Amino acid sequence: MINFLEQTVNGLVNGGFYALLALGLAVIFGMLRVVNFAHGAFYMLGAFGAYVGLREFGLPFWVALVLVPVVLAALGMTLERTAINRLARLDPLYNFLFTFGLTLILQDLVKWRYGVNANPYEIPAGLTGTVHIGQFGFPAYRLFVFGFAVAACLLAWWLLARTRVGMVVRAATERPELTGALGIDVGRWITPVFGFGIALAALAGVLAAPIQAVNPLMGADLIIVVFAVVVIGGLGSVTGSVATGFGIGVAGAWAQAYAPPIVAQTLVFVVMAVVLLIRPAGLFGREEGVA
Amino acid sequence: MRVRRVLSGTVAAGTVLTLLAACGGGGPRGGGGSSLSGGKIVLGVLNDQSGVYSGLGGKNSVVAVQMAIDDFLAKHGDKAVTRDISVVTADHQNKPDLAKTDAQQMYDRQDVDAILDVPTSSAALAVADVAKQDKKLYFNIGAASDDLNGKSCNKYTFHYAYDTNMLANVTGKTATKNGAKSWYLIYPNYAFGQDMLRGFTTAIGSAGGAVVASAGSPFPNPTQDYSTLLLKTSGLSPKPDTLGVMQAGGDLQNVVKQYNQFKLKDQGIKLAVGLMFITDIHALGPDALAGTTFTDAWYWNANQDNRAFADKFYAKTKTRPTFDHAADYSAALQYLEAVQAAGTDDSDKVVAKLEGKTVNDVFLHNGTIRAADHLVTHDAYLAQVKPSSQVTEPWDYEKILETIPADQAFNPPSSDCHM
Amino acid sequence: MSELVRSRLRAAGLPGWLRWAGLAVGLVVAWALPRVLYPPVALDILCWALFAVSVDLLLGYLGLLSFGHAAFWGTSAYTAGLLAARAGAPFPLAALAGALAAALLALPIGYLAVRRTGIYFAMVTLAFAQMVYFVANQWRSLTGGENGVQDVPRELFGMDLSDPYYFYYWMLPLVLLGLFAAWRVVHSPFGRVLVAIRDNPIRARALGYPVHRYKILAFVLSAFLAGLGGGLFALSHQFVTLDDLHWTTSGQAVVVVVMGGIGTLWGGVLAAALVVRLEDVLSLAHFEQVGLITGGIFVVVVLLFRQGIWGTAAAASRRLAARIARRRPG
């Protein structure tokens, strides 16, 4: 029973990463109608940012946690202004392709400089211990990651539900033309929202650095799982992305612990197939024009 | 749009140039494989130079082979069969298809007489196929799969340095004899990992131990997360006393990190590693692995001869050699000596000189190049990682616990091998 | 020059005789390829040409971006490879059987995938391809897992086809057939309906066309072509690996099509030659960061040259033709 609990909590930790990434992807899509293939690359850059920050500049983890997402968000926003914006009036396919090309470039640039090997990054001091609740023991850092991910998602929810920016974003997501017709300047929020989405990806990357391999390809296969997560959750739905992210994390952990390996690897795709059959818009999505 | 025109023009020119660049090499394959190479010998080093195994061999393997060439020329002087001996190299990026293409290019386009190294079992097997078809020599050093000297063996392929059975025999049997009685094995779920699982289960059983459970991790592993597998340990019954890890390279580094994070050592679960390179210890730092036992085919600081080689290597590369480097050196030297003895680089004649030879050099102690399956057997070592407090100089990470004689380390020839 | 004629010229693109000349040049190049290039590279160019054309069929004419076409390329590769290796099937049979297997796989995947369009479709195909990849990885007894299927023979009634130079000429007819089939599909009523569906699916449905069925059929045809390329690829390399199913292979196909020019068919062929050749040149120069170069070119194309190489060249020659036409009176 304890073991089951440990596996579940572990699944929630993994789910946290999926949720953060799916959230960023959903927010960017909602606002810009761009499916950001490079999301995985920014996650990777976040982890590398932490690693390089420590190695070259001696930046401790807590500083990196704040600084790296800010820096990468700035980079993302520059990209949005110069390139993505230019493609916005075209078929969204082009932006998808552009971000794909960007992924190839970013991955190879990092590979060129740092090689493909995993780079070590230590768990920050203070979180290296284990938390014990009765018989249940779990590494402190992983619990921290889970907590942080939940907090970040709650913050995002609060931003969307309770602030003016959030209202604009939600309106622009559901009824872009109407929002514009009502005189609301959606445009000025596009770049910051993109930056916010990128910051979430980078944040996930920094959080991942101590527990996952910091290597140039760490985002590559992950992004495909995240795509499946958002298809399941409903691409325009923020709630859906987060809930599905955590759900898939837990389901995946259970599958890996109690089922043959093939189940764990293909689970998310099978679920996606089922969802497509029953509810093509996604579990939490609404039937939109994107259908 | 003048800029556009200029850019279009550049693109067009670039297209044409790329299509035409370095044209040549066309036409049917001439003369088959083993024509005399015209007064020169070319050695090819094909390995991973940018990926998970680049530390094991990588670009420094070329240095090792060059050292062998230099020593050979110095030894024979003017009596050498030829003084025109060179090395070429290619990076197969751990991709079997690329390895196959690179090997073909080396034999066809670059006149390579012998290919060396080739880590990653799938790539290694692909190159064996090319060697067989082109009838040119191939010394595999970097890969473990025992299929190379089993069902995929052939006349022109030699499996140098180590194989999965050796790893199982040394780590598995020895560790079991020394007290590891119940094992939980985790392995990467691809050919290499599954071979290791098979080999270790047999070896552990024959030494009186038992494998309580085993679990595979995905390969490649996008999330590099082994937590689910590691957490399983507390739920197993009987509780294992040893965790056997078959992951290699970057995967291994992450398993070890997480093993430490989950404090499994404190729960009384020791760590045994199927395949570890000194570069892994260097990447993780000795403290992450202190106390772990593993099999090493060769250690640079084990004796004076090894150290002398390592010092020469260090002078050129500023790093200590792995067993792969030492074996590259040894294989290259043995090849050149065989050519010298045969007086020609004709593959069949050189093979005849190599088969059955017993060798003692810097890498091989009590080494034999077996004729039956072209496996090179030699003494192997059970090593233990020192904690950083005992490390006296950089790279001084290993303590050799035991030397395992060649006939115990390696299995007899497999019945699957038909030359 | 009247407006009508000018618009006709624009629509036709180029005068008829130029098209026949183009075909002739293409055939000459196809014949000469293994004489001027290292034959295995020439073989790769042929296979990738088919692959690119198959992806362009969907993207250019139906407006659907399949980001998981490696599932078909790879499934066919494994089918062809296994049939040749285990059953000694002659290579044309193996390749066609592979293509058929790919087409069969495309039925369920297509059925599910076409329920979405645009980006959703791309992500769904990507995800399904990943699933196929993992299944192949696990089904080690069949696929050999990471070792792949080695020792794939090239058989044709006992003839020795081991020299890639000669195999090229044996393979060429099949490839040309495939390319011709693609061209024929596009220039047919069926092809016209596809374009109509792409431009206005609601109107197409209103006109009575079973849109979903057309999409699935096009998807299956495209998979068949990709499979043909993949099967021949397995036979030319005599080796099948999981890389043939990996999403990076799918991605490369998309890169090639976009570079060549979406909807131009022959652009894909040209770009396939370019990319294969580029990789060969880079590997000889020991430059490992291929993705940097191809990604860089790709990004430039997406930002500035969306018509691709072929499209830009065609537009340039159209301008030239129009200018010539304008000079001639009436």
Side-chain angles (χ1 to χ4, degrees):
Chain A
M1 183 56 204
I2 292 293
N3 194 261
F4 175 75
L5 209 61
E6 285 174 346
Q7 297 284 17
T8 309
V9 173
N10 199 33
L12 284 171
V13 174
N14 290 339
F17 287 110
Y18 291 142
L20 278 175
L21 288 169
L23 176 58
L25 208 61
V27 161
I28 289 176
F29 180 78
M31 196 68 183
L32 284 85
R33 288 282 179 267
V34 168
V35 175
N36 183 20
F37 201 105
H39 219 64
F42 280 105
Y43 161 82
M44 178 268 291
L45 286 175
F48 262 96
Y51 170 72
V52 171
L54 181 64
R55 230 176 65 140
E56 313 279 341
F57 306 107
L59 289 177
F61 174 79
W62 303 103
V63 175
L65 200 59
V66 174
L67 195 60
V68 172
V70 167
V71 168
L72 285 175
L75 175 66
M77 291 197 281
T78 318
L79 259 152
E80 200 279 325
R81 287 262 79 160
T82 52
I84 294 179
N85 213 351
R86 200 179 288 195
L87 297 171
R89 51 189 160 80
L90 302 168
D91 194 317
L93 233 54
Y94 285 108
N95 255 321
F96 182 67
L97 291 174
F98 171 74
T99 51
F100 174 69
L102 195 65
T103 308
L104 293 178
I105 296 175
L106 288 172
Q107 269 174 204
D108 264 21
L109 273 176
V110 175
K111 196 164 84 141
W112 203 1
R113 174 70 182 81
Y114 291 102
V116 182
N117 284 332
N119 293 296
Y121 192 85
E122 289 314 311
I123 295 181
L127 286 173
T128 49
T130 314
V131 171
H132 291 283
I133 305 175
Q135 270 207 310
F136 171 84
F138 212 79
Y141 182 73
R142 285 170 185 260
L143 283 176
F144 164 73
V145 168
F146 171 63
F148 201 93
V150 170
C153 292
L154 284 174
L155 177 69
W157 172 82
W158 179 82
L159 280 171
L160 283 169
R162 296 268 185 265
T163 65
R164 190 181 159 71
V165 187
M167 206 160 58
V168 173
V169 171
R170 274 184 295 138
T173 304
E174 293 185 38
R175 297 270 193 278
E177 292 102 2
L178 190 57
T179 314
L182 284 171
I184 298 171
D185 184 6
V186 177
R188 67 186 264 244
W189 294 111
I190 286 184
T191 313
V193 168
F194 187 79
F196 177 67
I198 297 294
L200 283 174
L203 188 69
V206 176
L207 286 172
I211 50 178
Q212 291 186 9
V214 179
N215 72 80
L217 299 174
M218 66 193 287
D221 288 323
L222 190 59
I223 193 65
I224 301 178
V225 174
V226 177
F227 281 161
V229 165
V230 291
V231 169
I232 295 170
L235 197 54
S237 163
V238 167
T239 328
S241 307
V242 172
T244 313
F246 280 111
I248 291 291
V250 172
W254 287 342
Q256 227 192 352
Y258 304 115
I262 184 64
V263 177
Q265 286 178 318
T266 55
L267 179 68
V268 68
F269 307 118
V270 172
V271 173
M272 185 192 75
V274 171
V275 166
L276 278 173
L277 269 176
I278 310 178
R279 257 187 86 98
L283 292 176
F284 296 82
R286 283 163 298 266
E287 205 51 65
E288 317 160 350
V290 190
Chain B
M1 278 243 72
R2 198 124 166 273
V3 174
R4 262 254 182 109
R5 290 258 176 83
V6 170
L7 274 171
S8 315
T10 321
V11 165
T15 312
V16 174
L17 272 172
T18 311
L19 287 169
L20 294 176
C23 261
R29 196 181 276 159
S34 56
S35 46
L36 272 171
S37 65
K40 64 177 177 163
I41 298 178
V42 182
L43 297 173
V45 173
L46 178 62
N47 60 10
D48 175 23
Q49 293 173 11
S50 54
V52 282
Y53 297 133
S54 55
L56 168 68
K59 298 204 165 77
N60 287 338
S61 289
V62 181
V63 174
V65 170
Q66 188 61 52
M67 279 168 67
I69 295 173
D70 296 337
D71 287 352
F72 172 78
L73 288 174
K75 173 174 165 195
H76 290 277
D78 288 326
K79 297 232 183 57
V81 66
T82 172
R83 290 201 66 83
D84 184 357
I85 311 179
S86 56
V87 196
V88 297
T89 179
D91 178 2
H92 68 31
Q93 301 175 36
N94 297 319
K95 294 191 183 146
D97 205 23
L98 206 52
K100 186 163 196 177
T101 315
D102 284 337
Q104 260 166 349
Q105 287 206 19
M106 279 187 166
Y107 288 142
D108 289 345
R109 273 161 138 179
Q110 294 178 296
D111 296 327
V112 166
D113 298 297
I115 288 183
L116 298 115
D117 212 356
V118 197
T120 309
S121 302
S122 42
L125 291 165
V127 176
D129 207 31
V130 180
K132 181 165 106 177
Q133 278 195 6
D134 280 21
K135 298 195 177 36
K136 289 210 178 172
L137 261 69
Y138 165 44
F139 295 89
N140 181 284
I141 287 144
S145 172
D146 53 314
D147 281 347
L148 278 168
N149 42 294
K151 66 179 204 267
S152 301
C153 76
N154 65 63
K155 186 173 178 198
Y156 304 96
T157 298
F158 291 86
H159 197 182
Y160 228 87
Y162 74 130
D163 73 350
T164 45
N165 290 324
M166 174 199 121
L167 297 171
N169 288 339
V170 178
T171 309
K173 275 200 198 134
T174 320
T176 309
K177 273 193 270 199
N178 292 347
K181 287 299 173 211
S182 63
W183 292 66
Y184 171 43
L185 296 178
I186 63 176
Y187 59 99
N189 218 335
Y190 75 114
F192 164 70
Q194 283 154 336
D195 280 353
M196 289 288 270
L197 175 71
R198 193 179 15 103
F200 265 77
T201 310
T202 316
I204 292 168
S206 71
V211 175
V212 165
S214 64
S217 64
F219 185 87
N221 191 345
T223 56
Q224 282 298 326
D225 189 25
Y226 301 94
S227 47
T228 324
L229 292 180
L230 291 170
L231 278 174
K232 255 192 183 170
T233 26
S234 56
L236 291 171
S237 107
K239 192 127 177 271
D241 57 46
T242 309
L243 174 71
V245 177
M246 305 296 129
Q247 278 78 359
D251 288 357
L252 172 65
Q253 292 171 17
N254 282 297
V255 173
V256 172
K257 264 205 225 178
Q258 289 163 31
Y259 165 85
N260 287 331
Q261 279 170 24
F262 282 100
K263 303 280 197 280
L264 290 179
K265 196 193 280 191
D266 297 347
Q267 290 179 32
I269 302 172
K270 294 194 296 268
L271 181 67
V273 178
L275 177 58
M276 178 151 65
F277 312 127
I278 194 169
T279 38
D280 292 326
I281 308 175
H282 189 74
L284 282 168
D287 283 328
L289 290 158
T292 315
T293 52
F294 68 104
T295 311
D296 212 344
W298 183 88
Y299 176 50
W300 70 272
N301 212 5
N303 58 50
Q304 279 306 106
D305 290 334
N306 291 7
R307 223 206 135 87
F309 173 79
D311 287 338
K312 276 196 274 183
F313 188 84
Y314 189 86
K316 292 181 201 272
T317 64
K318 296 284 167 282
T319 178
R320 292 293 183 188
T322 64
F323 76 78
D324 186 275
H325 298 133
D328 283 326
Y329 172 88
S330 168
L333 202 53
Q334 292 309 317
Y335 171 74
L336 290 171
E337 293 289 352
V339 172
Q340 180 76 17
T344 167
D345 63 359
D346 176 74
S347 306
D348 295 311
K349 301 212 172 72
V350 175
V351 167
K353 286 288 171 201
L354 285 167
E355 280 178 339
K357 193 169 175 199
T358 53
V359 185
N360 272 293
D361 68 8
V362 70
F363 173 74
L364 296 170
H365 294 167
N366 298 318
T368 311
I369 305 179
R370 281 209 306 226
D373 60 355
H374 285 193
L375 178 65
V376 180
T377 60
H378 59 93
D379 290 348
Y381 310 95
L382 184 69
Q384 189 179 46
V385 181
K386 294 183 188 172
S388 57
S389 52
Q390 290 177 23
V391 172
T392 52
E393 57 177 305
W395 295 93
D396 174 36
Y397 301 131
E398 295 177 35
K399 178 170 142 194
I400 305 296
L401 298 175
E402 240 185 281
T403 304
I404 319 289
D407 53 357
Q408 285 173 32
F410 292 89
N411 282 1
S414 158
S415 54
D416 293 328
C417 174
H418 310 286
M419 290 269 199
Chain C
M1 263 294 197
S2 73
E3 181 57 54
L4 182 65
V5 181
R6 237 181 271 144
S7 73
R8 271 291 148 89
L9 257 179
R10 245 179 277 131
L14 300 159
W17 65 266
L18 204 55
R19 297 202 142 179
W20 286 109
L23 178 65
V25 168
L27 286 173
V28 166
V29 169
W31 171 82
L33 213 57
R35 284 154 202 270
V36 285
L37 294 177
Y38 184 50
V41 170
L43 292 175
D44 276 1
I45 289 179
L46 287 184
C47 298
W48 274 89
L50 275 175
F51 199 17
V53 163
S54 77
V55 172
D56 197 13
L57 195 64
L58 285 179
L59 182 57
Y61 296 91
L62 200 51
L64 290 176
L65 170 65
S66 169
F67 222 90
H69 247 51
F72 309 118
W73 165 273
T75 302
S76 171
Y78 273 103
T79 309
L82 286 168
L83 277 176
R86 308 281 165 87
F91 87 85
L93 198 67
L96 287 168
L100 202 66
L104 284 172
L105 180 67
L107 273 171
I109 293 183
Y111 176 76
L112 285 171
V114 301
R115 294 162 91 81
R116 314 297 266 135
T117 57
I119 293 297
Y120 273 94
F121 180 82
M123 293 201 294
V124 165
T125 50
L126 179 58
F128 276 125
Q130 194 73 336
M131 201 157 92
V132 173
Y133 175 83
F134 283 126
V135 168
N137 197 346
Q138 287 299 322
W139 203 348
R140 201 178 150 241
S141 53
L142 187 70
T143 63
E146 214 229 44
N147 283 348
V149 178
Q150 316 232 353
D151 310 328
V152 173
R154 292 203 272 255
E155 253 288 306
L156 190 63
F157 308 127
M159 273 189 279
D160 174 25
L161 298 166
S162 54
D163 192 338
Y165 178 80
Y166 295 114
F167 184 63
Y168 176 92
Y169 292 104
W170 283 104
M171 206 169 95
L172 192 58
L174 268 176
V175 174
L176 290 176
L177 215 66
L179 293 174
F180 175 71
W183 181 84
R184 198 68 191 83
V185 164
V186 159
H187 294 272
S188 73
F190 178 77
R192 287 259 179 249
V193 175
L194 293 183
V195 174
I197 293 175
R198 175 193 72 193
D199 290 338
N200 200 328
I202 299 174
R203 186 189 294 171
R205 198 174 286 134
L207 283 170
Y209 288 108
V211 168
H212 265 165
R213 242 180 265 166
Y214 268 84
K215 283 188 183 176
I216 296 175
L217 185 56
F219 193 75
V220 169
L221 279 171
S222 163
F224 184 86
L225 277 176
L228 188 61
L232 289 172
F233 189 82
L235 293 159
S236 22
H237 284 240
Q238 300 192 277
F239 190 16
V240 191
T241 60
L242 288 171
D243 247 18
D244 296 328
L245 287 168
H246 201 245
W247 63 265
T248 45
T249 304
S250 300
Q252 176 137 320
V254 174
V255 166
V256 167
V257 169
V258 173
M259 268 208 246
I262 300 174
T264 61
L265 278 192
W266 310 121
V269 175
L270 183 63
L274 180 64
V275 169
V276 169
R277 194 69 187 99
L278 186 67
E279 286 191 0
D280 186 41
V281 167
L282 286 176
S283 89
L284 280 175
H286 297 311
F287 183 76
E288 289 114 28
Q289 264 53 262
V290 181
L292 195 58
I293 307 284
T294 41
I297 301 177
F298 181 66
V299 160
V300 168
V301 167
V302 169
L303 283 174
L304 298 172
F305 292 103
R306 276 180 292 280
Q307 305 149 301
I309 298 173
W310 191 267
T312 315
S317 47
R318 261 201 294 275
R319 274 199 299 274
L320 193 63
R323 203 183 292 165
I324 295 174
R326 236 179 299 151
R327 293 244 182 84
R328 287 213 211 103

